[in-house]
Amino acid sequence: MKHWIGISEFVAVAELQSFTKAAKQLGISVAQVSRNIAELEASLAIKLLYRSTRSVSLTEEGLLYLQHCRHLVASLEEANRTLANLKATPRGQIKLTAPVFYGETRIAPLLHDFMQLYPDTELDLQLTNNKLDLVQGGFDLAIRLGTLESSSLIARKLASRTQYVVASPAYLAKHGTPLNLTDLTQHQCLTGTVAQWRFMQQGKVVQFKPQGRIVCNSGVALLDAALKGLGLVQLPDYYVGDKLQSGELVAVLNKLRQPDDGIWAIYPQNRHLSAKVRVLVDYLAAKLN
């Protein structure tokens, strides 16, 4: 720590061009600022500042040294903020976006529980299936489903999801159960915003283009159509899990099921030290797993 003495004082004086202003900013006396800088210069055996009764200026060596010391001071301040945030209680507004159905059924209830735990938090939740620009929109966090696109955002996996192809028992009794993708071409497929269904065949992910009488951008509507025997649909577990358990729907082509993909929290890099974001992401990961 001896080598650190005087660096913060030197940077403050160099940037403010005043010992008095630097002392006020650092919360110490002018005499202490002067002593620490003098000790720094003595340890370096180099004069960093020209002093007069009315002004302060940098020597050539001081100007060079300042460029490096600024990074040291900034890194120290960042480290101090990191430790402070580890102890901080979440507070303030959390602006978050999530897909509509998953947000309504899974995320929003957990956010409400979180707010009860941390009464100093506020929530701005925007549910949309569009991928909003987090930085431009001022979002702290987004919930994204499936495969992520490459970006500069930080991503943390919260949970996994399983995609099922399902149909009602009545539909299968009438039209038969498909055993492979060739069979699937003979069936009514209920399709949504994803143009291709994905399967795993011979160790490789393959795509299948479904055909049918119904196309809809709502998973809830497609689920209703499947329950009413209008065809097969591929939907994630959070849509169909309870229907599979009750027997209202039956999963088919299970041996061809695609690998599980992720449910993610993503956030801008400048949010990763925020206590409210860090604690919320930890909370969601614990509850969704």
Side-chain angles (χ1 to χ4, degrees):
M1 290 301 293
K2 182 178 180 181
H3 298 294
W4 187 264
I5 293 173
I7 290 180
S8 295
E9 293 86 342
F10 165 66
V11 171
V13 170
E15 292 184 337
L16 297 172
Q17 298 286 294
S18 167
F19 277 77
T20 302
K21 291 179 180 178
K24 185 176 181 180
Q25 177 178 284
L26 297 171
I28 59 178
S29 69
V30 174
Q32 185 67 47
V33 171
S34 182
R35 280 196 301 269
N36 287 353
I37 291 178
E39 186 173 340
L40 175 63
E41 289 179 320
S43 69
L44 295 171
I46 291 176
K47 191 173 183 63
L48 300 173
L49 297 169
Y50 292 121
R51 305 165 176 83
S52 72
T53 55
R54 295 187 177 181
S55 67
V56 177
S57 61
L58 290 165
T59 66
E60 184 177 347
E61 294 84 358
L63 184 59
L64 178 63
Y65 197 55
L66 176 63
Q67 295 174 10
H68 295 280
C69 289
R70 277 183 173 140
H71 297 299
L72 291 174
V73 172
S75 296
L76 179 61
E77 291 173 350
E78 183 85 348
N80 289 338
R81 281 195 297 269
T82 300
L83 292 179
N85 280 328
L86 288 175
K87 301 186 296 182
T89 300
R91 63 179 66 250
Q93 186 186 77
I94 301 172
K95 189 173 182 182
L96 185 145
T97 180
V100 177
F101 181 79
Y102 193 78
E104 289 174 338
T105 57
R106 300 295 174 90
I107 298 300
L110 291 178
L111 292 175
H112 301 156
D113 293 341
F114 183 84
M115 293 181 72
Q116 289 183 313
L117 290 173
Y118 301 101
D120 291 331
T121 56
E122 301 172 4
L123 176 65
D124 181 350
L125 175 61
Q126 297 189 22
L127 299 180
T128 175
N129 292 329
N130 296 324
K131 293 183 178 179
L132 303 180
D133 187 311
L134 301 193
V135 176
Q136 185 175 359
F139 287 94
D140 295 297
L141 187 69
I143 305 299
R144 296 276 166 85
L145 310 175
T147 303
L148 295 179
E149 299 174 356
S150 177
S151 77
S152 62
L153 299 171
I154 297 175
R156 177 173 171 185
K157 190 174 183 179
L158 301 176
S160 298
R161 66 173 186 173
T162 303
Q163 298 276 5
Y164 291 95
V165 176
V166 299
S168 68
Y171 175 89
L172 297 176
K174 183 176 181 180
H175 299 281
T177 299
L179 301 178
N180 51 53
L181 298 189
T182 301
D183 290 350
L184 195 56
T185 62
Q186 307 304 312
H187 284 266
Q188 287 291 325
C189 296
L190 312 170
T191 59
T193 55
V194 178
Q196 306 280 347
W197 290 1
R198 286 157 46 97
F199 296 92
M200 179 67 78
Q201 196 170 51
Q202 297 179 343
K204 296 181 179 180
V205 175
V206 297
Q207 294 186 333
F208 172 84
K209 186 171 178 58
Q211 301 290 333
R213 296 165 55 200
I214 296 177
V215 178
C216 182
N217 66 349
S218 165
V220 174
L222 293 174
L223 175 62
D224 181 73
L227 288 167
K228 292 176 178 175
L230 291 173
L232 296 127
V233 67
Q234 188 178 66
L235 286 171
D237 46 14
Y238 45 84
Y239 277 96
V240 302
D242 59 336
K243 306 301 180 185
L244 291 173
Q245 288 186 353
S246 69
E248 295 173 84
L249 292 174
V250 177
V252 301
L253 300 172
N254 287 331
K255 292 184 178 180
L256 299 181
R257 186 185 302 150
Q258 65 173 300
D260 290 354
D261 53 20
I263 297 168
W264 307 87
I266 66 169
Y267 43 98
Q269 293 193 28
N270 64 348
R271 299 290 197 275
H272 79 285
L273 292 176
S274 166
K276 62 184 180 182
V277 172
R278 175 179 49 78
V279 176
L280 176 57
V281 171
D282 287 345
Y283 180 83
L284 293 175
K287 294 296 183 179
L288 291 172
N289 269 318

